[in-house]
Amino acid sequence: MSFYVTTPIYYVNAAPHLGHAYTTIAADAMARHHRQRGEDVFFLTGTDEHGEPVADAAHALGLEPQELADKNAERFKALLPQIGASNDFFIRTTDPQHMAKVQEVLTRVRDNGYVYEGTYEGSYCPKCADFKADNEIDEGNRCPIHHIELTREQEDNYFFRLSAFQEPLERLYAEREDFVAPRTRYNEALSFLRSGLRDVPLTRHKLTWGVRVPWDPEHVFYVWFDALLNYYSALSYARPGEDLSTEFWPASCHVIAKDILRFHAIYWPALLMAAELQLPQRIFVHGYLLMDGEKMSKSLGNVLDPFAVIDRFGSDALRFYLLRDVPFGQDGSVSTEAFEQRYSSELANELGNLASRTLAMIVRYRDGALTQADPDPIIVADFDGLSTRVSELIAKAELTLALDEIWQRVRRLNRYVEEQAPWQLAKVQARAGDLDRVLGTLAEGLRVVGVLLWPYLPASSEKLLAALGASDLSLAGARIGAGGIERVSTIESLFPKSA
Ligand code: ME8
């Protein structure tokens, strides 16, 4: 089995912010989970470097677009290890191999009869790099996302015959109800589709910062066509000398937010059909992180700095907070208060405490060694089917629900400690066997939650599993009793309160 997951490629007109970190963390959790299932995983992220938003931002700073792209691509790259992202490749759309692939694929689209010359006139938002339909324009002729006034643009372009895909896309949506998830986004894409597709510009004449149109070098490709093709082009050069598309194309899941739904849910499958390429299995659309009720965005200036959060609390804490507090797929407000609350009440008090006291008790009462006593059937029953359930949820990109399933077991183990009071058992010689069983059950429970939490809390899970002497991360081993833990050691607090 192979699993290919992508994030959007982010614009390099400014530095990364929490919204970008969020999508990458979510896609990373999926990638890690699928690796635990023993699948071959390819996880792609990268930067979108052409087009007007980047050219305009560069000129405003007195830089060439390439200079700004180089500078900011580095910042997006630097974010990845800091948030624990395990991406297999980082694509930049200024990579020559990507640009050549864009030219190749779009020439094929033209050869197949889906490109013609025309004149475009419409209302345009340079920050979205997108023409707006009449029903998408806010009062005062403003962009509904950026609130800036739209410009009236007229230019001679090559057009992509999107309208030719009206019926094929309707068929796609009828046959594959999970092509776009969650359901609300599927419905939104479908209603856009049903409103009737119009042809769209494929090239820009006035711009020079982009991939040259091979059959008319006065034009560059419209940035969205260049950008979408990254998902396909990356596979052709991520591993020098290999073409990974045989193994990984079509993509299993494109993770995006709803701002770019139309491009992914409508343009992208149409473009792939026009190029005779297979369609992705699914597009998963998450919601917006909001601050003060507005979408966090670079251009609005209301951003929360992920680097600052990570410096203080570590990347696992950020990953946990975002995937736990904001139901994946819905919009959710983020705030420092809510973050600190989750950190101290759940990470420090629940998981951190469970881990340190369990390990400390095994070291104190048994010198770190565990006998192979049968685990307590009560806990075995409470954990029964857990990893299957988590797998089913993550396969549907239900990252928050899956995390909640695991967290209920963290809480269950804490209750088990209170119910069994190992410190009382340790006082009574005749209860030595019971104490062995309780400690063994707790160690196994911790191991199982450690394995299942790895996609969410990779660094902390690895520390925990190392202390348990159990390095197997596979899902197959994520059941109570499978671990055969012999010896444990104590650990430093996983989530220090004083952070
Ligand atoms: O649109 N909440 O790039 P971009 C949640 N280059 N997610 C957010 C977010 C927020 N407040 N803000 C940003 C582009 N994101 C194009 C994409 S893909 C072929 C080309 C995340 O830098 C979310 O994933 O504006 C959103 O879709 C993406 O960043 C937009 O990034």
Side-chain angles (χ1 to χ4, degrees):
M1 270 288 265
S2 57
F3 181 78
Y4 175 26
V5 60
T6 66
T7 72
I9 46 170
Y10 307 115
Y11 282 131
V12 287
N13 52 353
H17 64 71
L18 197 65
H20 303 123
Y22 179 52
T23 314
T24 306
I25 287 170
D28 183 68
M30 292 184 198
R32 286 177 185 269
H33 171 82
H34 282 269
R35 290 192 195 108
Q36 290 187 296
R37 293 161 68 142
E39 296 173 13
D40 279 333
V41 171
F42 195 79
F43 168 26
L44 179 71
T45 186
T47 41
D48 187 356
E49 306 192 357
H50 291 129
E52 211 155 3
V54 177
D56 286 354
H59 294 140
L61 293 167
L63 296 173
E64 285 305 313
Q66 186 70 61
E67 288 175 293
L68 182 66
D70 289 344
K71 182 163 158 256
N72 282 332
E74 276 316 309
R75 297 161 90 171
F76 277 93
K77 267 191 188 163
L79 180 67
L80 296 169
Q82 297 209 39
I83 56 178
S86 60
N87 58 303
D88 295 287
F89 189 59
F90 186 95
I91 187 168
R92 300 183 54 183
T93 54
T94 50
D95 291 342
Q97 301 94 322
H98 165 78
M99 304 215 286
K101 200 62 162 183
V102 168
Q103 292 178 325
E104 175 198 313
V105 173
L106 294 176
T107 300
R108 190 154 81 235
V109 168
R110 177 172 181 254
D111 292 345
N112 287 346
Y114 296 112
V115 176
Y116 64 91
E117 263 183 289
T119 304
Y120 195 86
E121 201 188 333
S123 297
Y124 181 81
C125 171
K127 293 220 154 136
C128 293
D130 189 17
F131 288 94
K132 302 285 166 187
D134 292 345
N135 61 3
E136 291 177 311
I137 299 175
D138 270 5
E139 214 168 292
N141 194 32
R142 285 176 187 277
C143 166
I145 297 170
H146 296 99
H147 313 313
I148 55 171
E149 203 170 330
L150 302 173
T151 53
R152 198 74 198 159
E153 297 275 336
Q154 187 193 26
E155 65 177 30
D156 294 334
N157 289 329
Y158 290 91
F159 278 70
F160 173 56
R161 215 180 278 284
L162 183 63
S163 59
F165 295 93
Q166 181 77 35
E167 273 176 31
L169 286 177
E170 282 178 10
R171 229 173 303 131
L172 167 74
Y173 274 76
E175 283 165 10
R176 289 174 50 184
E177 295 201 343
D178 58 354
F179 181 64
V180 176
R183 192 72 190 174
T184 44
R185 302 298 162 216
Y186 170 91
N187 289 336
E188 209 174 300
L190 188 59
S191 91
F192 178 82
L193 178 60
R194 288 197 175 136
S195 71
L197 297 181
R198 288 189 308 162
D199 296 343
V200 290
L202 175 72
T203 67
R204 301 293 312 271
H205 197 174
K206 288 184 192 153
L207 295 184
T208 51
W209 179 237
V211 177
R212 294 245 161 263
V213 173
W215 63 85
D216 189 345
E218 294 217 336
H219 290 245
V220 295
F221 287 111
Y222 178 44
V223 65
W224 269 99
F225 289 94
D226 162 3
L228 285 163
L229 281 167
N230 91 87
Y231 301 132
Y232 178 66
S233 71
L235 297 178
S236 67
Y237 68 98
R239 296 282 170 273
E242 273 182 78
D243 184 358
L244 298 177
S245 51
T246 0
E247 181 173 2
F248 290 108
W249 194 259
S252 316
C253 187
H254 295 306
V255 185
I256 61 167
K258 58 187 184 178
D259 50 345
I260 52 179
L261 173 68
R262 178 160 41 96
F263 295 105
H264 285 79
I266 305 288
Y267 288 32
W268 181 223
L271 177 64
L272 289 169
M273 288 180 192
E276 298 169 291
L277 291 169
Q278 279 184 281
L279 308 191
Q281 280 157 22
R282 193 147 53 117
I283 297 160
F284 190 89
V285 190
H286 64 66
Y288 288 154
L289 300 183
L290 307 170
M291 284 190 78
D292 309 323
E294 283 261 24
K295 178 192 173 212
M296 279 197 312
S297 97
K298 296 172 281 215
S299 26
L300 292 174
N302 57 344
V303 296
L304 198 136
D305 183 1
F307 290 105
V309 176
I310 295 163
D311 272 353
R312 188 156 161 225
F313 297 95
S315 60
D316 280 3
L318 179 70
R319 295 169 67 102
F320 178 81
Y321 169 65
L322 294 175
L323 296 176
R324 176 115 171 112
D325 213 49
V326 181
F328 195 58
Q330 298 170 33
D331 289 353
S333 291
V334 292
S335 69
T336 316
E337 295 74 36
F339 172 85
E340 287 177 359
Q341 175 64 24
R342 289 276 182 196
Y343 182 86
S344 87
S345 71
E346 297 189 340
L347 286 179
N349 288 352
E350 295 182 342
L351 180 60
N353 251 349
L354 174 69
S356 30
R357 66 179 175 165
T358 299
L359 294 167
M361 287 190 292
I362 301 172
V363 169
R364 175 179 318 156
Y365 303 136
R366 292 291 181 260
D367 221 8
L370 287 170
T371 57
Q372 297 303 312
D374 281 342
D376 195 328
I378 295 186
I379 296 296
V380 173
D382 281 338
F383 275 64
D384 189 37
L386 174 63
S387 81
T388 311
R389 175 88 187 119
V390 166
S391 254
E392 285 166 0
L393 288 169
I394 300 186
K396 290 191 284 182
E398 291 288 6
L399 297 177
T400 305
L401 295 180
L403 178 54
D404 193 54
E405 289 281 342
I406 308 167
W407 212 258
Q408 286 174 30
R409 282 15 180 243
V410 171
R411 292 186 171 154
R412 177 68 191 97
L413 292 173
N414 272 319
R415 281 202 311 279
Y416 185 69
V417 176
E418 298 304 323
E419 287 161 13
Q420 301 296 324
W423 48 91
Q424 301 288 3
L425 296 177
K427 290 183 190 153
V428 187
Q429 189 50 43
R431 306 286 309 268
D434 292 337
L435 180 60
D436 282 335
R437 195 184 59 224
V438 169
L439 294 178
T441 304
L442 283 171
E444 270 295 284
L446 253 191
R447 186 186 62 77
V448 172
V449 296
V451 171
L452 294 175
L453 283 172
W454 183 67
Y456 298 89
L457 301 170
S460 317
S461 290
E462 284 169 20
K463 267 191 229 160
L464 174 60
L465 293 172
L468 290 164
S471 55
D472 178 15
L473 282 171
S474 75
L475 273 190
R479 54 188 176 79
I480 304 267
I485 299 174
E486 289 176 356
R487 174 161 287 283
V488 309
S489 49
T490 54
I491 38 173
E492 277 177 36
S493 179
L494 287 174
F495 305 101
K497 275 278 182 61
S498 56

